[in-house]
Amino acid sequence: MDVAAYLVNSTRGGLGNLAAYLAAHVLLCLLPAFYIAGAMTALIPKESVTRFLGRDTRRAVSYPAAALAGGLLAVCSCTIVPLFAGIYKKGAGIGPAITFLFFAPAANILALVYTGSVIGVDLALARLFLSLAFGIGIGLIMALLFRADDAAHDAATSQMFAAQSDKGMSRTALIFLLTWVALLLVGTLKLDIFTGSYIYVNLPLAGAQEFQALLDRLVPFDAVKGEEGVSLQGVLLILLLAAIGLASWRGFERIHDGFSAWTKAAIGLIGVTLLVAAVNMQATPAGLSVGFTGKFFGVLFALAVLFEIGRVYLTEDELRDWLWESWRFVKQIFPLLVVGVFLVGVIRVLIRPEWIESLAGSNTLLGNLTGVAFGVFMYFPTLVEVPIAQLFLSLGMHRGPLLAYLMADPELSLQSILILSAIIGKLKTWTYVVWVALFSTMAGLIYGAWVDGMSLGLVAIYLGLFLTLLALALGLVSQRNQQQDDKQAQTL
Amino acid sequence: MLTIKILGPGCANCKRLEEIARKAASDLNVTAEFTKVTDYNDILAYDLVSTPGLVINEKLVSSGRIPSPASVAAWIDEAMKTA
């Protein structure tokens, strides 16, 4: 094959992939998720969660609180490391701080929603539960291994957490946040009540079918290979998305100087786009058939509630902080995601499925280790790991190694390892890295076994056995340390 | 003469905060010395959990968010009166 044809072919693959992604996954999934992430950052007072992370808090409270803080407060790696530094230096034990560090990138709202929508709800749930169990496990291990350092560190700073105010979250802000979550669920859950259409309207739009046929020729797709085409509705949504981008740039970038007409236009466009994404459009010979789905009415209702809360109950400061933080996430993550998705489309043309299949086609130890190693040495910006994972899946990777990769990639990259060692030191960092690699491999093996048909009970027993062994070992070491301390105290 | 410190590792929010603070000071015809504090140990010497933080005359007035220009102006005004 000559080079020119090769280039054209791969560029077309990239663009096609990008168009399909923007149309199918971004709206109703990523768009609300970005606004939820913004609301979490802007409206939840960080002190209300971090005050549970102090040294004096019981372990049964501080570790779950650390995971909760990770899931709620830190949306992308850019916020995690500063917050981690803050929490650690302010006197949280290394254990809860590590739990926070582990859980945040693996199971924050953007990552989970995106994984669920692109790859499958089963993998998203596996990611959530295994991250929770292992995040706490690794936190406990680190706390135990570096007990002595921790005690010295804590003595200096432990009072600071006690001094924090217990300013809670306002109830309006909570309702606002929950309504966004409801909107997201209505938009993405594939239940009959939401996907079924109740009212049909036929628009006499001549040429709709010809246009759809043209689109199918431009972006040829093969459903078997996991590729997706672009529909007429998709084109409309991509255009609306571009309009939102423009209006947001003008309206949100300078939002601290006040709300402009652009701001209002951007908000209006977001509402319209979410509604358009929720209807069911089909090109027919007579024109365009538009079905108003249950989803449409659900989204409409949620938007009305959000609008009312925003207009009447939220203060101007809260609204501004929320819009700004959401916009900042979009600005920071979305361009990289677009580039990433494009490149995935290009690479898809180049990789041969046999390579992936021979390396990680079945749920073996080697396959899982390969997934983890790939995750560590490749650095992908936040969320780009998800389209990459889908690429592997469609090329024949087993779901077990895939989960191992998905667990390891956001946690570990050479870049984050370097930053981390500046904060907690080399020894602690590498210990953490080894444990994460080990746990990710375990997660892949266990989940893969379940996918291969092992009964849920057996999986639970294995997982339970593994965790019990770990807990026992930790308990023993901890007891021995305690006795040594007592002896030391006596001889002193 | 005020000393205004911007606490943060150099993220987008810190730059925006500095912009707002500088503008507020010049609007009020206040001369102020601006310092950017980027080292984590120095930042965490102040009582804050998340950046960006704004410190006027060694008093932490805001953290974790970008305050509105109006409130920054009010803080500067207050600091001038007590100084």
Side-chain angles (χ1 to χ4, degrees):
Chain A
M1 187 163 37
D2 69 303
V3 180
Y6 209 60
L7 278 178
V8 168
N9 210 4
S10 48
T11 313
R12 207 159 93 166
L15 287 176
N17 200 37
L18 185 57
Y21 255 83
L22 285 178
H25 296 297
V26 164
L27 297 148
L28 284 183
C29 147
L30 266 190
L31 202 62
F34 273 114
Y35 284 92
I36 292 172
M40 283 175 171
T41 311
L43 303 179
I44 301 178
K46 297 192 176 53
E47 292 81 2
S48 65
V49 184
T50 52
R51 75 195 157 98
F52 292 113
L53 307 185
R55 177 177 165 70
D56 301 330
T57 317
R58 277 186 308 124
R59 263 187 250 176
V61 175
S62 65
Y63 283 87
L68 185 73
L72 287 181
L73 302 181
V75 174
C76 73
S77 46
C78 40
T79 27
I80 292 161
V81 174
L83 258 176
F84 170 74
I87 289 172
Y88 179 60
K89 301 234 156 152
K90 285 272 158 183
I94 184 148
I98 287 286
T99 301
F100 168 83
L101 184 72
F102 181 88
F103 194 68
N108 68 69
I109 173 105
L110 280 173
L112 284 180
V113 165
Y114 199 42
T115 311
S117 132
V118 173
I119 301 178
V121 177
D122 60 327
L123 214 75
L125 285 178
R127 207 177 166 179
L128 174 67
F129 287 119
L130 291 170
S131 300
L132 187 65
F134 291 178
I136 292 178
I138 294 180
L140 286 170
I141 293 173
M142 292 293 285
L144 202 70
L145 290 177
F146 298 102
R147 241 179 87 263
D149 289 12
D150 217 22
H153 176 85
D154 280 339
T157 48
S158 68
Q159 301 86 348
M160 295 188 92
F161 273 95
Q164 276 177 13
S165 67
D166 57 348
K167 188 174 65 172
M169 189 181 178
S170 85
R171 185 185 280 177
T172 347
L174 188 67
I175 296 174
F176 188 70
L177 195 59
L178 289 178
T179 315
W180 268 111
V181 175
L183 191 155
L184 179 76
L185 290 179
V186 169
T188 47
L189 283 185
K190 290 187 169 53
L191 295 178
D192 288 345
I193 179 174
F194 295 136
T195 50
S197 297
Y198 299 96
I199 305 170
Y200 285 96
V201 175
N202 282 302
L203 299 176
L205 209 64
Q209 211 169 29
E210 285 78 9
F211 190 59
Q212 180 65 62
L214 177 73
L215 285 175
D216 288 343
R217 270 205 306 282
L218 278 177
V219 187
F221 63 97
D222 184 354
V224 182
K225 280 166 74 184
E227 293 174 346
E228 295 154 279
V230 177
S231 68
L232 207 134
Q233 188 178 15
V235 172
L236 190 62
L237 289 173
I238 292 174
L239 289 178
L240 276 169
L241 211 58
I244 293 180
L246 177 73
S248 303
W249 190 266
R250 302 298 299 264
F252 293 161
E253 188 62 22
R254 308 240 47 108
I255 199 166
H256 292 95
D257 301 339
F259 296 142
S260 66
W262 284 108
T263 318
K264 292 191 183 110
I267 296 171
L269 274 170
I270 290 163
V272 170
T273 309
L274 288 175
L275 288 175
V276 171
V279 298
N280 181 12
M281 281 188 198
Q282 293 294 339
T284 59
L288 193 65
S289 152
V290 180
F292 290 92
T293 54
K295 216 191 296 191
F296 175 83
F297 295 107
V299 171
L300 187 66
F301 180 70
L303 282 174
V305 173
L306 287 173
F307 186 75
E308 197 57 19
I309 296 177
R311 198 174 60 93
V312 182
Y313 296 102
L314 288 183
T315 63
E316 203 187 310
D317 273 1
E318 284 173 323
L319 266 183
R320 189 181 43 234
D321 282 357
W322 165 59
L323 286 171
W324 169 254
E325 290 299 336
S326 309
W327 170 238
R328 209 164 56 85
F329 283 135
V330 172
K331 227 174 31 170
Q332 205 162 32
I333 297 174
F334 200 67
L336 292 170
L337 191 61
V338 167
V339 174
V341 168
F342 174 78
L343 289 180
V344 167
V346 172
I347 295 169
R348 187 191 292 268
V349 185
L350 306 177
I351 295 186
R352 308 188 64 84
E354 297 90 292
W355 302 345
I356 304 280
E357 239 163 75
S358 65
L359 271 175
S362 57
N363 188 39
T364 57
L365 185 63
L366 180 72
N368 281 290
L369 281 175
T370 311
V372 171
F374 186 76
V376 175
F377 289 106
M378 287 291 141
Y379 176 70
F380 299 118
T382 318
L383 294 188
V384 175
E385 79 265 10
V386 179
I388 303 243
Q390 198 216 9
L391 167 74
F392 288 152
L393 189 67
S394 67
L395 289 175
M397 194 167 181
H398 191 279
R399 282 177 110 85
L402 192 75
L403 182 77
Y405 158 70
L406 268 180
M407 301 267 298
D409 182 77
E411 307 297 338
L412 300 178
S413 64
L414 293 176
Q415 190 203 21
S416 68
I417 292 173
L418 286 178
I419 302 175
L420 199 59
S421 59
I423 300 170
I424 58 174
K426 279 206 184 75
L427 179 66
K428 289 197 186 88
T429 306
W430 286 105
T431 316
Y432 173 69
V433 169
V434 169
W435 279 106
V436 172
L438 189 72
F439 273 60
S440 301
T441 314
M442 279 295 303
L445 276 175
I446 291 175
Y447 180 67
W450 180 65
V451 170
D452 280 348
M454 196 158 81
S455 74
L456 202 59
L458 209 59
V459 172
I461 291 172
Y462 274 123
L463 191 64
L465 213 65
F466 175 67
L467 290 176
T468 318
L469 272 175
L470 198 70
L472 273 176
L474 289 178
L476 273 175
V477 177
S478 155
Q479 217 168 34
R480 222 185 51 202
N481 284 337
Q482 196 67 48
Q483 282 166 357
Q484 275 173 354
D485 282 0
D486 290 348
K487 265 186 213 152
Q488 270 176 357
Q490 279 166 10
T491 48
L492 283 171
Chain B
M1 176 74 176
L2 293 178
T3 46
I4 296 179
K5 288 183 182 169
I6 312 288
L7 313 179
C11 49
N13 272 351
C14 318
K15 285 177 196 132
R16 175 56 58 91
L17 176 63
E18 187 185 355
E19 218 174 276
I20 289 173
R22 279 187 190 275
K23 189 166 179 301
S26 70
D27 284 353
L28 291 167
N29 279 325
V30 171
T31 46
E33 188 196 341
F34 281 85
T35 325
K36 270 195 268 190
V37 182
T38 50
D39 188 87
Y40 278 122
N41 290 314
D42 298 341
I43 292 173
L44 293 167
Y46 296 92
D47 187 21
L48 83 171
V49 180
S50 57
T51 56
L54 181 66
V55 173
I56 301 178
N57 277 356
E58 287 309 305
K59 186 182 164 215
L60 181 78
V61 289
S62 150
S63 73
R65 57 182 289 263
I66 301 182
S68 66
S71 42
V72 176
W75 290 322
I76 292 181
D77 210 36
E78 202 186 299
M80 288 303 285
K81 277 184 199 139
T82 51

